[in-house]
Amino acid sequence: MVAGPAHRAEAGDPPLSLVALLGFGTVVLLAVVLLHAYLWWRLVRGTTRPGRTRRSLTVLTVVLAVLLPLAVTLSRRLPLAAAAPLDWIAYTWLGVAFYAFLALVVLEPVRWVLRRWTRRAPGPGPAPDPGRRLLLARGLALTAGAVALGTAGTGAWLANAPPRVRRVPITLPRLDPALDGLRIVTFSDAHLSATYGGRRFERVVELVNEQRPDVVAIVGDLVDGELAQLRGEVAPLADLVSDQGVYFVTGNHEYFVDTRAWLRHLPTLGIDVLHNERVAIRRGTAAFDLAGIDDRTAASSGIPGQGADLDAALDGRDDGRPVVLLAHQPVQVEQAATAGVDLQLSGHTHGGQLWPFDLVVRLDQPAVQGYSRQGGTQLYVTPGVGFWGPPMRVGATPEVTVIELRA
């Protein structure tokens, strides 16, 4: 193994900068306020008359709006058993609210046309019937609610079901024939937290072992909480069985918590952290290089020594054998292609997780999921096994990926 900068340091190094956290919190708060204001306007004010019912629904809307900021700010400070109910309610509601918002936006032209139709009156007849407009608003609200609940419910079932296993043969032109058929089993984005872990993560480990991996590669965003909270949730990793090791690279969410504590703990579970370094994977005298670099946000985390450094990972290697790179974010392939990396394995995108966020992901990443080629480098983006935020996946099936190398 050729090591990059040391990743062993004392606890107490600062996590993600306070400025970044404040900025993220401000964006979340603004989005929550605007989302709930629109939902109140259409689902409460538009469907009720002034009175007790409207006041009660208004209070409920405010309570639901407050739950998400509470979950964001408090969940990592609470014991897992206390954080779980808050997170489940807050993030499930967020998913339902998001799809209710989308449904209402789609129905806006219908509402506009029907409202104009209800206002039509031949000549100086009576004013439009307010009851008809109220009935129209309630009908559209019920339609949006049914769409939101159906979509979110299906997404919740998919997100909490066992991941599919996808086999992807990838040819590396410089691969020694003795390494043909070698299996790298990879997954990402478990986001172990108050809402994901336990038996669901144990199933992921079992699925990985059933593939009889030569190498296991975990490409970031493993945890969404502190070690004291999630020590039990991450414990199944110790059961991973691989002929040539289990390797991990950091994702951006590893820098939202005490990064150093996790980087010290993972090796006790048999996980090798590739911190801008590489290891040779061998069969007899044949070999290829497996390299791993930090997430692209690591340098701005405020933690000394953290930051993606592909040059350090590849320094001094034998150019005659191929290199497979583990890098959390697909966009890191830009540097990998310049450096002559043969194959990059990434995660981060969740496959979009909630449609239509895959369209937003494309603005920042060269690929959302699956196989692609970026210049001379092949790229595979696994959609992850867990979720972040709403406990649901819409249009993005969780996946354990078996990369079968071909000569």
Side-chain angles (χ1 to χ4, degrees):
M1 179 179 295
V2 179
H7 61 262
R8 298 172 182 84
E10 297 303 318
D13 290 330
L16 193 68
S17 70
L18 179 60
V19 173
L21 286 175
L22 288 175
F24 175 73
T26 301
V27 171
V28 169
L29 184 60
L30 180 61
V32 167
V33 169
L34 293 176
L35 172 65
H36 285 83
Y38 178 76
L39 293 179
W40 177 85
W41 185 264
R42 287 288 174 252
L43 299 181
V44 177
R45 187 183 185 280
T47 63
T48 61
R49 293 187 173 93
R52 183 175 180 180
T53 299
R54 180 180 289 185
R55 287 194 299 270
S56 298
L57 291 175
T58 299
V59 170
L60 177 61
T61 303
V62 172
V63 170
L64 290 172
V66 169
L67 284 179
L68 183 63
L70 284 177
V72 170
T73 56
L74 294 180
S75 61
R76 290 192 182 120
R77 303 176 185 177
L78 297 173
L80 210 60
L86 174 62
D87 285 6
W88 272 108
I89 296 171
Y91 289 119
T92 299
W93 164 245
L94 178 61
V96 173
F98 173 70
Y99 282 108
F101 166 78
L102 286 186
L104 288 167
V105 169
V106 170
L107 290 171
E108 281 290 348
V110 177
R111 186 182 73 87
W112 184 81
V113 170
L114 292 178
R115 281 191 64 129
R116 285 186 61 86
W117 177 76
T118 61
R119 287 174 180 169
R120 291 176 60 186
D129 181 8
R132 180 186 291 181
R133 291 202 299 269
L134 192 63
L135 183 64
L136 168 63
R138 288 175 176 173
L140 293 177
L142 285 172
T143 301
V147 170
L149 288 173
T151 304
T154 302
W157 174 83
L158 182 62
N160 291 279
R164 69 178 176 182
V165 176
R166 183 174 182 184
R167 300 184 182 279
V168 182
I170 293 181
T171 300
L172 300 184
R174 293 183 293 167
L175 189 71
D176 191 300
L179 293 166
D180 189 87
L182 187 141
R183 294 180 300 278
I184 303 175
V185 181
T186 184
F187 68 90
S188 73
D189 301 280
H191 289 282
L192 293 172
S193 65
T195 55
Y196 186 83
R199 179 57 190 153
R200 286 166 296 170
F201 190 56
E202 290 174 357
R203 284 186 312 212
V204 172
V205 171
E206 290 166 3
L207 277 175
V208 171
N209 286 340
E210 287 170 7
Q211 312 316 310
R212 294 178 299 149
D214 295 291
V215 175
V216 174
I218 306 170
V219 285
D221 280 6
L222 176 64
V223 295
D224 254 330
E226 302 295 347
L227 177 59
Q229 279 185 315
L230 299 175
R231 187 183 298 270
E233 302 304 310
V234 79
L237 289 177
D239 297 327
L240 285 171
V241 178
S242 172
D243 286 347
Q244 301 206 40
V246 180
Y247 299 93
F248 170 82
V249 292
T250 56
N252 54 307
H253 280 246
E254 269 72 50
Y255 297 98
F256 292 172
V257 293
D258 187 347
T259 312
R260 294 297 189 182
W262 279 111
L263 294 183
R264 288 192 298 268
H265 182 66
L266 289 176
T268 69
L269 302 174
I271 312 298
D272 290 326
V273 178
L274 291 180
H275 171 64
N276 302 320
E277 53 194 341
R278 71 179 186 274
V279 62
I281 304 298
R282 301 181 181 278
R283 274 184 181 172
T285 58
F288 72 90
D289 288 326
L290 182 71
I293 56 175
D294 296 345
D295 183 68
R296 70 165 172 168
T297 64
S300 62
S301 68
I303 303 176
Q306 292 292 305
D309 190 343
L310 184 59
D311 290 338
L314 301 184
D315 183 45
R317 77 179 188 89
D318 180 356
D319 292 336
R321 63 191 191 194
V323 57
V324 176
L325 175 67
L326 310 182
H328 178 62
Q329 298 198 37
V331 72
Q332 294 174 280
V333 76
E334 296 171 4
Q335 186 181 6
T338 301
V341 168
D342 297 86
L343 169 64
Q344 176 175 312
L345 303 179
S346 297
H348 183 63
T349 66
H350 299 199
Q353 184 170 328
L354 299 177
W355 180 91
F357 276 110
D358 55 313
L359 302 179
V360 179
V361 172
R362 293 179 193 278
L363 300 177
D364 183 54
Q365 303 290 336
V368 176
Q369 63 177 315
Y371 175 86
S372 63
R373 184 180 287 274
Q374 309 292 329
T377 298
Q378 300 178 80
L379 171 67
Y380 190 85
V381 182
T382 183
V385 295
F387 46 77
W388 180 75
M392 51 195 69
R393 281 175 168 261
V394 177
T397 303
E399 177 181 300
V400 168
T401 311
V402 183
I403 303 294
E404 298 177 342
L405 298 184
R406 300 299 182 194

